[in-house]
Amino acid sequence: MNEKRISVGMVGYKFMGKAHSHAYRDLPMFFPQATKPAMTAICGRDERNVALAAKQFGWDGYVTDWRELLERDDIDLIDINAPSDAHKEIALAAAKAGKHLFCEKPLALTLADSREMLQAAEEAGVKHMIGFNYRFAPAVQLAKKLVEEGRLGQIYHFRAWFLQDWIVDPDFPLVWRLQKEVAGSGSHGDLGAHLIDLAHFLVGDLTEVIGMSETFVKERPLPESMEGLSAKGSKDAPRGAVTVDDATLFLARFAFGALGSFEATRFAPGHRCTNSFEINGSKGSVKFDFERMNELQVYFTDDADDVQGFRRVLATDPAHAYSEAWWPPGHTIGYEHTFIHEVLELMNALEEDRQPVPNFKDGVKCQQVLEAVELSIQERRWVSVDEL
């Protein structure tokens, strides 16, 4: 058991706050060799609810002003999973205070803000990580391994789609994720950001893009309450404008010549969390769907003619990333485990005095593509990512 500890102060206590808390709490049980995260204090504006969350999630204490976390000598790392419009202010102040940073995606509302956050972290000399948790599914790590080892050959295509349906009802309330001033963008920045990061992680840099988007429901009832991806409200309540995209699609070129296609929507009935990609190369292909997150579909062109076709690989054997820490082969893991693997990378990076991956540089690179797509939609043309 590693006795070293990193003391954490976390801002946010709802959907992502619960996921991060679970990861901090369970990491030592399954990865005892890692530095242990000490759950020192959680922060939220509503004292009653944050106190309840602190008790439920296992935090030692709570505060209602995130600035208090920065003043404490007993906190080493600030975890930011509050709504997107709060990321920049907290990160800049935390970096100035010399605290390490773990920030959920998107890094910021704009490319300029994300670059400012990266600069502040680099100038302060602190470690910084961004929350692209889907990288840390063992099946995704296997896809990365096959690409890196050249087993798929030259890569020709990367196509990805993230399909959800939680706002198909036109009377679903106007939650903060549907307001540009808070979220930055809709399906594009929320879902598309994960696809862009997976493209960067698995295949390489994007160089130019062209896109289109649509907001299908222009106004929605104001909410009475909201949490995570759920909300309560009356269809007869006053309505407010939806100021983000409901769906965004774009085409892209990669630096080495491959072609890419991306689709992010919250208007795909029957799709709860269809976060998927397919990679086609000269020697084979892989397919992944997060709704079956332990599986990778694999095809190799040099298989014998009588057994040609995609095979299902269940990424739960000791040969697969992280799997030795979990259950016997075939005993699958879930969404929450991607966050444990993410925190493992963060703790290892802090102990090894290196930047974790992915970090704010990856967040900036993703934001650059997001905004290139937005510019393409506005100007109805191909846009070079380097224009921004």
Side-chain angles (χ1 to χ4, degrees), residues 236-251:
D236 299 322
R239 293 183 173 251
V242 176
T243 52
V244 299
D245 60 291
D246 287 331
T248 293
L249 293 76
F250 70 95
L251 303 177

Side-chain angles (χ1 to χ4, degrees), residues 180-359:
K180 187 175 180 63
E181 65 272 19
V182 182
S185 68
S187 63
H188 186 45
D190 185 20
L191 309 181
H194 281 299
L195 302 181
I196 293 166
D197 181 68
L198 286 172
H200 286 153
F201 175 59
L202 294 167
V203 178
D205 289 351
L206 301 169
T207 57
E208 58 178 344
V209 297
I210 187 168
M212 62 179 178
S213 67
E214 185 58 65
T215 302
F216 299 114
V217 176
K218 313 295 185 187
E219 292 185 337
R220 292 182 177 274
L222 300 181
E224 296 172 3
S225 64
M226 64 182 88
E227 182 170 353
L229 300 184
S230 63
K232 294 181 180 180
S234 169
K235 66 179 181 179
D236 299 322
R239 293 183 173 251
V242 176
T243 52
V244 299
D245 60 291
D246 287 331
T248 293
L249 293 76
F250 70 95
L251 303 177
R253 291 185 181 275
F254 286 86
F256 60 90
L259 303 180
S261 64
F262 299 78
E263 177 181 4
T265 182
R266 294 164 170 164
F267 274 71
H271 292 275
R272 300 298 192 250
C273 189
T274 305
N275 177 10
S276 303
F277 63 78
E278 180 169 342
I279 303 172
N280 305 129
S282 60
K283 296 181 180 179
S285 299
V286 294
K287 295 190 292 187
F288 174 79
D289 179 0
F290 189 74
E291 290 185 354
R292 303 180 70 90
M293 64 164 283
N294 291 278
E295 300 176 11
L296 187 69
Q297 297 290 326
V298 181
Y299 169 80
F300 294 115
T301 59
D302 61 1
D303 284 340
D305 290 346
D306 59 347
V307 291
Q308 285 274 324
F310 279 95
R311 70 191 71 175
R312 183 192 71 134
V313 176
L314 191 61
T316 60
D317 284 11
H320 301 122
Y322 310 114
S323 295
E324 285 188 329
W326 295 109
W327 317 117
H331 293 66
T332 56
I333 61 173
Y335 173 70
E336 69 276 17
H337 298 87
T338 64
F339 292 93
I340 296 176
H341 300 159
E342 192 172 49
V343 169
L344 174 65
E345 164 63 13
L346 176 57
M347 292 298 113
N348 286 345
L350 290 170
E351 181 163 349
E352 296 163 10
D353 192 25
R354 61 174 175 82
Q355 288 297 350
V357 178
N359 54 53

Side-chain angles (χ1 to χ4, degrees), residues 31 39 127 169 193 225 229 241 311 384:
F31 296 92
M39 299 170 66
K127 303 298 185 286
D169 181 355
S225 64
L229 300 184
R311 70 191 71 175
S384 170

Side-chain angles (χ1 to χ4, degrees), residues 151-201:
R151 293 162 73 179
L152 300 184
Q154 179 183 347
I155 304 302
Y156 298 132
H157 293 284
F158 178 87
R159 62 184 63 85
W161 53 101
F162 203 148
L163 316 178
Q164 293 183 343
D165 65 356
W166 59 281
I167 60 169
V168 168
D169 181 355
D171 292 323
F172 185 87
L174 186 69
V175 295
W176 68 263
R177 282 182 169 84
L178 307 181
Q179 297 173 296
K180 187 175 180 63
E181 65 272 19
V182 182
S185 68
S187 63
H188 186 45
D190 185 20
L191 309 181
H194 281 299
L195 302 181
I196 293 166
D197 181 68
L198 286 172
H200 286 153
F201 175 59

